Amino acid sequence: MWRFTFYLCIFCYGIKFLWSSPWFWDIRQCWHSYPYQPLTSGLYYYYIMELAFYWSLMFSQFIDIKRKDFLIMFVHHLATIGLITFSYINNMVRVGTLIMCLHDASDFLLEAAKLANYAKYQRLCDTLFVIFSAVFVVTRLGIYPFWILNTTFFESWEIIGPYPSWWLFNGLLLILQFLHVFWSYLIVRIAFKALIRGKVTYPGRIRPRLCTLHSFLTSFLFSMPGGSWTVSSLACV
């Protein structure tokens, strides 16, 4: 419930903030006058809230129930914090806000599906998961590569040329896109089975666990507990 509340609130804040930002309507504005772009209070608070949340996830791991993916999650949170900090230090905050908001668009839906799972509302959980799947695929395989990567790879080169951190920044974003393709395949497969059968069973010992991870490397992890699981059982704490 805490994660659902945060993701929903931060997504609404991001939309409200970006709605009045010129680079939301013309993404080329992300590079005009770079790196001498003013840091407004709204932009600053947006970054601070996202960064603070991921620091809280980092610390809460040590007091939460220890799971097999502890080390992976720890490294992932470090990478997320590093990427947010990297874009802030290099004043890439305009395109950074677009990336954060784009990733936040689907996360609150996944948390809502988890809530429905805990409340044992099977049909609601499956419905929310299918909606989440659609939003995830559209944002990560459609908007992200054709809008975000297009501007970071080509428009930035055209407007300001290859700045020193261009290679590292785009390399990390490209790795994220490869992960988006892999996760989308797994999510669509689960959602498709849910639509066809209404209830998806995973035989054997493999249970996909989809966990929301917010920032540039937001992702899903997999664990291997025993038993048979349905799509409504995809609830990670």
Side-chain angles (χ1 to χ4, degrees), residues 199-213:
K199 184 176 182 180
V200 182
T201 301
Y202 294 92
R205 296 180 54 82
I206 301 179
R207 172 198 176 189
R209 277 182 44 181
L210 302 177
C211 305
T212 306
L213 308 173

Side-chain angles (χ1 to χ4, degrees), residues 9-190:
C9 290
I10 198 65
F11 175 67
C12 292
Y13 178 87
I15 290 295
K16 181 178 182 299
F17 170 75
L18 289 172
W19 195 265
S20 59
S21 302
W23 60 89
F24 182 70
W25 306 102
D26 179 13
I27 199 170
R28 293 173 67 91
Q29 292 289 331
C30 290
W31 313 109
H32 289 171
S33 302
Y34 178 84
Y36 307 105
Q37 298 170 341
L39 180 65
T40 63
S41 59
L43 199 157
Y44 169 78
Y45 290 129
Y46 191 14
Y47 252 75
I48 289 300
M49 285 189 291
E50 290 274 13
L51 185 59
F53 177 71
Y54 282 103
W55 271 116
S56 74
L57 294 183
M58 171 73 76
F59 290 123
S60 64
Q61 274 196 308
F62 296 96
I63 59 176
D64 198 0
I65 299 173
K66 294 295 186 298
R67 293 178 171 81
K68 295 179 181 179
D69 58 7
F70 174 83
L71 181 59
I72 299 175
M73 293 289 288
F74 180 75
V75 173
H76 188 282
H77 292 328
L78 279 179
T80 302
I81 292 170
L83 284 168
I84 294 177
T85 305
F86 172 80
S87 63
Y88 183 84
I89 292 174
N90 286 273
N91 206 28
M92 299 175 182
V93 289
R94 289 188 177 183
V95 69
T97 56
L98 296 176
I99 296 172
M100 289 190 298
C101 187
L102 187 65
H103 284 77
D104 290 337
S106 60
D107 289 337
F108 70 91
L109 292 170
L110 179 59
E111 299 302 331
K114 294 177 186 178
L115 289 173
N117 172 58
Y118 287 134
K120 301 186 185 305
Y121 293 124
Q122 172 78 41
R123 181 168 297 181
L124 177 60
C125 176
D126 291 349
T127 301
L128 288 171
F129 186 79
V130 170
I131 297 174
F132 156 77
S133 303
V135 174
F136 187 94
V137 171
V138 170
T139 54
R140 311 299 174 90
L141 298 188
I143 300 176
Y144 181 82
F146 293 105
W147 193 43
I148 299 296
L149 292 185
N150 179 65
T151 194
T152 59
F153 271 88
F154 305 111
E155 293 178 346
S156 66
W157 188 289
E158 174 188 343
I159 296 173
I160 63 176
Y163 46 89
S165 57
W166 187 92
W167 302 97
L168 175 60
F169 184 60
N170 282 288
L172 293 172
L173 293 179
L174 191 59
I175 291 173
L176 184 58
Q177 177 58 28
F178 287 135
L179 294 175
H180 287 165
V181 173
F182 176 67
W183 295 323
S184 295
Y185 164 73
L186 297 173
I187 293 170
V188 168
R189 185 176 64 178
I190 296 172

